[in-house]
Amino acid sequence: EYSYLYKQYANDVVHKANENLTFFEAMGNDYEYEKNRIILDRFQGRRIDSFAYTEMFQYYIHYDFSAFLVILICLYALMSVFIIEKETDMDILLVTTQAGGQATTFVKILSTTLFVCAVSFWFGCIDFISFAHFFGSLEAISLPIYAIENFANTSLNLSLGEYALLSLIVKTIGFLVVSYFCLFISLFFRNALLPFIICLFFMLGFIYFQEAFMGSERIILKVVNPFNLLVHRELFRGTEFVNIFGFPVL
């Protein structure tokens, strides 16, 4: 029923956006005019042409547990990247070597990036393969993302397969942001335990604020929270804008 009626729903959104364009143009409100023009462009011609078994993707899109496992793995693995040389008093010696100082720091950051990307892609691939195996169907992979009812108002015009890839990329970026943040915290300590505990508390804080402002109108507070990259349904299932210098940015 939802798939059949979605075309009419999208047409209603387009019709309302057209009305708003006329109204805000007359009012001289350029910001709201541009916002409705983007909405019109995104929803124009939307329809779900075929029916398929979408339950696998409904569960996959709302699955978050592996993201927390990756966070814990990254925290455990990365806390000693800069601290271990301080614990052994090698930090003073390293800066006197030809490849010490900035070169060593660059290589450590590069290694961190490769490690985090590898762990993220490994868990992402295992998740997708596991869901596909247990549900025994990928027939909905070519359906548009708005075939999932929670994504009726999404600004994305991607297939479910393309969204799965986008989701993996966005999660990886989120893991990198969190990992760099934890590396920065670790720079100020000579023992790995204390920064590990501090970073865990920061992660809990990010999770709390992510839950607290999910669905709220405080879009800036959602945008600046790195956990919204890890649990990013809220960013993608609606069409929301941030006002940047008077221009609406999705």
Side-chain angles (χ1 to χ4, degrees), residues 171-229:
K171 276 187 178 180
T172 303
I173 294 171
F175 292 134
L176 287 172
V177 171
V178 171
S179 297
Y180 294 151
F181 173 78
C182 292
L183 281 183
F184 177 74
I185 294 292
S186 71
L187 289 174
F188 301 97
F189 297 90
R190 300 187 67 89
N191 181 280
L193 181 60
L194 188 56
F196 180 80
I197 295 172
I198 291 173
C199 288
L200 272 181
F201 274 105
F202 268 109
M203 296 306 109
L204 293 174
F206 288 145
I207 293 171
Y208 170 78
F209 284 110
Q210 195 264 346
E211 291 287 336
F213 296 111
M214 182 183 294
S216 76
E217 295 298 320
R218 300 181 180 182
I219 299 171
I220 292 293
L221 292 177
K222 289 192 285 187
V223 170
V224 299
N225 188 343
F227 248 81
N228 279 312
L229 294 173

Side-chain angles (χ1 to χ4, degrees), residues 62-81:
H62 294 84
Y63 175 73
D64 300 320
F65 183 69
S66 66
F68 299 106
L69 290 179
V70 174
I71 285 292
L72 291 176
I73 290 171
C74 290
L75 277 179
Y76 179 77
L78 300 178
M79 275 300 96
S80 296
V81 168

Side-chain angles (χ1 to χ4, degrees), residues 63-225:
Y63 175 73
D64 300 320
F65 183 69
S66 66
F68 299 106
L69 290 179
V70 174
I71 285 292
L72 291 176
I73 290 171
C74 290
L75 277 179
Y76 179 77
L78 300 178
M79 275 300 96
S80 296
V81 168
F82 287 106
I83 290 178
I84 192 168
E85 58 200 32
K86 295 179 182 178
E87 290 179 334
T88 57
D89 291 326
M90 284 293 292
D91 53 327
I92 300 173
L93 182 60
L94 273 175
V95 294
T96 66
T97 62
Q98 186 174 357
Q102 291 183 349
T104 302
T105 301
F106 172 77
V107 171
K108 288 189 175 188
I109 293 174
L110 178 61
S111 301
T112 296
T113 303
L114 294 175
F115 174 81
V116 172
C117 289
V119 173
S120 174
F121 273 84
W122 173 258
F123 273 85
C125 292
I126 292 296
D127 287 346
F128 189 83
I129 293 170
S130 299
F131 272 89
H133 172 72
F134 287 120
F135 282 91
S137 174
L138 281 175
E139 65 180 41
I141 196 168
S142 60
L143 287 184
I145 179 63
Y146 44 81
I148 305 297
E149 194 166 354
N150 280 353
F151 284 74
N153 297 313
T154 182
S155 62
L156 300 177
N157 284 315
L158 301 175
S159 69
L160 285 166
E162 290 168 336
Y163 177 79
L165 180 60
L166 173 67
S167 174
L168 177 57
I169 294 171
V170 172
K171 276 187 178 180
T172 303
I173 294 171
F175 292 134
L176 287 172
V177 171
V178 171
S179 297
Y180 294 151
F181 173 78
C182 292
L183 281 183
F184 177 74
I185 294 292
S186 71
L187 289 174
F188 301 97
F189 297 90
R190 300 187 67 89
N191 181 280
L193 181 60
L194 188 56
F196 180 80
I197 295 172
I198 291 173
C199 288
L200 272 181
F201 274 105
F202 268 109
M203 296 306 109
L204 293 174
F206 288 145
I207 293 171
Y208 170 78
F209 284 110
Q210 195 264 346
E211 291 287 336
F213 296 111
M214 182 183 294
S216 76
E217 295 298 320
R218 300 181 180 182
I219 299 171
I220 292 293
L221 292 177
K222 289 192 285 187
V223 170
V224 299
N225 188 343

